[in-house]
Amino acid sequence: MSTPSLLILPGDGIGPEVMEQVRRVIGWFDDKRGLAIDVSEDLVGGAAYDKHGVPLADETMAKAQEVDAVLLGAVGGPKYDNLDFSVKPERGLLRLRKEMDLFSNLRPAQCFDALADFSSLKRDIVAGLDIVIVRELTSGVYFGEPRGIIEEGNERVGINTQRYTESEIERVARSAFELARRRSNKVCSMEKANVMESGILWRDVVNEVHQADYADVELSHMYADNGAMQLVRAPKQFDVILTDNLFGDILSDCAAMLTGSLGMLPSASLGAPMENGRPKAMYEPVHGSAPDITGQGKANPIACILSFAMALRYSFDQGAEADRLEAAIEGVLADGVRTADLLGEEGVTPVSTSGMGDAILAKLDASL
Ligand code: IPM
Ligand code: MG
């Protein structure tokens, strides 16, 4: 493969701080593993708004379409709360997802053994947890028309539309079944077929795809509210959870907390295969811009570094190097290195964002 290209969009809040540590990791793989990556960088979210008056410039959008992968930090912050809806930082992120057609959002929730005590749930419920939520990312109520706030009589009405076509459901279902085959071969699909027609269609199509091409995968269905309850009751019953855009947004935050800290979770948003056979892709930590700790050197860079590990695996064909990076992070956590989001043990002093970066680079060195 020719030199892979990566567009880095640090964004807002802690995005730039955690991305700084990813750059060091990229540098390490270049120096020590001969893994050259053609890295470019641009603005998204509030940072783009400040410079261009829009949360994603057209040139940045065009660049994102050309590279092998995009790595995004975070968008948003209180400074932008009062902006018009159309230029809010989040619109930049949603435009990337939509125009790159990244319909399959993989959100792994894995509980590192060293962190099992940080979960709000009891250790035995989460220790060894390893599930992935596959969230549909380009349709549903996030994008459905009609939408808006209209006047009706003497009051305003807020409208959003949940809308799914069969082909939209089919393609994300396929990606969940494919993923399950590489894991424990189980998919649980979640919707609200008891109250929503879109949920009835969702269930039908998932069953059809299953029967036609993936009968070897164990499939179950759950109403999304029950799914939320089961996620905190007995999360280890799941392997792959397949769900729509809005339920996936909510269920993935819930799943994230099972692992102890939002600061640990990466994600991959994948689209259709490009000419080189690999999917169009954007990687991002699940945590947001965390304005409350921005600029204090407290942010945990692990979610963003793990997102780069996912890029190594899914976009750059470097599964063994992704394993190496994930093992280094697991090792650092086993050694007791903690950022401020991971406190609570006796006598532990937190390291800074760059201190965590130092520890991970040292572990990578030790892996050679
Ligand atoms: C997420 C976030 C986004 C979403 C926001 C920032 C638009 O919550 O990626 O989960 O709602 O999809
Ligand atoms: Mg969310």
Side-chain angles (χ1 to χ4, degrees), residues 162 169 192-204:
Q162 168 81 332
I169 301 167
K192 285 283 288 175
N194 51 344
V195 285
M196 297 166 78
E197 285 80 358
S198 59
I200 294 175
L201 184 71
W202 182 281
R203 195 175 281 216
D204 277 357

Side-chain angles (χ1 to χ4, degrees), residues 4-8 37-38 40 63-64 66-72 100 274 279-283 310-312 314-316:
S5 54
L6 178 70
L7 172 63
I8 290 184
I37 297 177
D38 177 6
S40 54
K63 238 188 266 174
E66 276 160 25
V67 290
D68 292 307
V70 176
L71 181 65
L72 185 138
M100 291 171 77
M274 299 184 288
K280 227 173 217 197
M282 177 162 73
Y283 300 87
M310 291 185 92
L312 287 173
Y314 294 112
S315 289
F316 303 154

Side-chain angles (χ1 to χ4, degrees), residues 10-91:
D12 307 323
I14 60 171
E17 297 166 44
V18 295
M19 203 60 87
E20 185 58 43
Q21 302 311 311
V22 178
R23 271 195 225 92
R24 297 175 70 199
V25 168
I26 294 174
W28 187 90
F29 278 97
D30 187 6
D31 283 359
K32 305 287 172 69
R33 304 295 302 154
L35 187 75
I37 297 177
D38 177 6
V39 179
S40 54
E41 191 165 327
D42 212 326
L43 303 171
V44 69
Y49 177 82
D50 288 339
K51 178 146 186 233
H52 303 294
V54 285
L56 187 76
D58 291 342
E59 305 81 73
T60 315
M61 186 66 243
K63 238 188 266 174
Q65 297 283 21
E66 276 160 25
V67 290
D68 292 307
V70 176
L71 181 65
L72 185 138
V75 295
K79 183 179 162 194
Y80 307 104
D81 279 351
N82 297 320
L83 287 184
D84 185 72
F85 186 75
S86 63
V87 289
K88 276 194 185 298
E90 290 78 8
R91 304 310 302 171

Side-chain angles (χ1 to χ4, degrees), residues 97 107 135 142 248-250 252-253 286:
R97 289 175 179 173
R107 298 193 160 187
R135 168 190 178 190
Y142 272 58
D249 180 44
I250 297 165
S252 64
D253 264 29
V286 170

Side-chain angles (χ1 to χ4, degrees), residues 164-173 198 201-202 205-206:
Y164 271 107
T165 64
E166 288 184 288
S167 49
E168 286 169 342
I169 301 167
E170 181 183 334
R171 64 183 186 170
V172 72
S198 59
L201 184 71
W202 182 281
V205 174
V206 171

